[in-house]
Amino acid sequence: MSTTKPTEPVKIAIIAIENNPFFAQVKAGYDAVKPKVEAAGGTVDWINAGTDVTVDNIGDAMSAAVVDGYDAVAALMPGDGICTYIQQADSRGVLVAAYNGNASCAERSGALFFHGQDLRAAGMEAGKLMCAATKNLADASKPGVVGVETESFTFQALEERRLGFLDGLKENCPWVTQAGGGVEYQTSTDRVASATRDYLGSTKDLVGIYVTGGNPQIAAQTVASAGRTSTVKVIGFDFTAENVAQIKAGNMYAAIGQDPYGQSYDTIVWLYNALVDKQKPSPDYFIPTAAVVGTRANISVVTAAK
């Protein structure tokens, strides 16, 4: 963090949702950096925009932060509709950073940087993992299908993960395909469980479940309850305590981490530095987090190093 003291109070807001254990890890990064920002002469606040990642929820929170006099805002980017709000903030001299999920128009609308996962690449990696997990369950002579569960088809970040996953299957094991068009669960753990039960009960040659967003541990628990962990592999994202427990138990094949702590901590530090030193954290708009794969073989190691 810059040692430059601001000549006047600096206010930063980080806008988040709170609908799954992942965001508790994001908040841990905020909690750690908050006293450092305050010691340097600024303030930073966590703003809960609700449970659904929608343009209206995030956009309204951004607009309120601008009205409330924040100098910089870090926010999720649900989709291109958010860019009107970025433009409005930028016109008022408020710095905007995207984290966790990006929008294709964010940079040209005035966002300073995006710090998060390379979402399409992460989805492709998940597809490769599913191929590895199911290589003894499905092959060219015995095709298999994978159930895809996503929080929202309109949340651009999760669509990137879904489409990347399908690319990964096509490139590495084209005999494994998506079952239907996928299922939207809209943050509901009950819907994750219900969708998983539906796939288990009605999908012939099911070999896997892929969860693009929060709470993949529910899918893993549901598969385990049905006694199907040996033939149906679950892959999702994030090293939450819940996911780690399911991986260690052998109920979830793998999860891909995305540094939630750094997504908040680093983003807030870079916004503070940009305010007091007028410096961008990088000449590049996209500043990626590390994508780490955790399986039963290495989960204790990768979570200890986190």
Side-chain angles (χ1 to χ4, degrees), residues 2-10 71-72 93-95 112-113 269-282:
S2 172
T3 57
T4 303
K5 292 290 184 180
T7 56
E8 55 187 42
V10 169
D71 302 294
V94 178
L95 299 184
L112 193 64
F113 62 85
V269 167
W270 293 333
L271 280 175
Y272 177 85
N273 292 349
L275 287 170
V276 299
D277 287 334
K278 313 301 181 188
Q279 292 183 353
K280 292 180 62 174
S282 167

Side-chain angles (χ1 to χ4, degrees), residues 39-208:
T43 60
V44 58
D45 296 313
W46 176 272
I47 296 177
N48 179 7
T51 59
D52 296 328
V53 186
T54 66
V55 168
D56 286 344
N57 284 356
I58 305 302
D60 288 348
M62 288 177 64
S63 293
V66 171
V67 171
D68 289 342
Y70 285 92
D71 302 294
V73 175
L76 302 136
M77 301 281 114
D80 284 348
I82 200 67
C83 290
T84 297
Y85 296 91
I86 298 174
Q87 292 165 355
Q88 291 171 350
D90 185 63
S91 70
R92 297 279 294 273
V94 178
L95 299 184
V96 177
Y99 79 99
N100 187 252
N102 192 27
S104 59
C105 58
E107 181 178 12
R108 66 177 180 269
S109 297
L112 193 64
F113 62 85
F114 164 54
H115 185 43
Q117 190 176 65
D118 185 331
L119 298 152
R120 193 69 170 243
M124 180 169 280
E125 180 64 28
K128 293 177 183 177
L129 286 167
M130 186 63 76
C131 289
T134 61
K135 64 182 179 182
N136 295 323
L137 304 175
D139 57 33
S141 63
K142 183 186 176 184
V145 295
V146 174
V148 176
E149 302 175 17
T150 186
E151 283 186 35
S152 172
F153 289 114
T154 62
F155 184 12
Q156 189 170 322
L158 300 187
E159 269 299 275
E160 288 295 307
R161 283 181 178 171
R162 187 181 71 86
L163 295 172
F165 176 76
L166 298 180
D167 289 342
L169 292 183
K170 185 176 181 180
E171 181 175 303
N172 296 278
C173 56
W175 51 86
V176 177
T177 58
Q178 178 179 350
V183 176
E184 187 177 70
Y185 60 88
Q186 296 180 334
T187 77
S188 168
T189 55
D190 289 342
R191 289 183 182 177
V192 174
S194 176
T196 304
R197 286 193 296 268
D198 286 347
Y199 278 128
L200 291 168
S202 64
T203 306
K204 185 180 179 181
D205 299 322
L206 183 73
V207 295

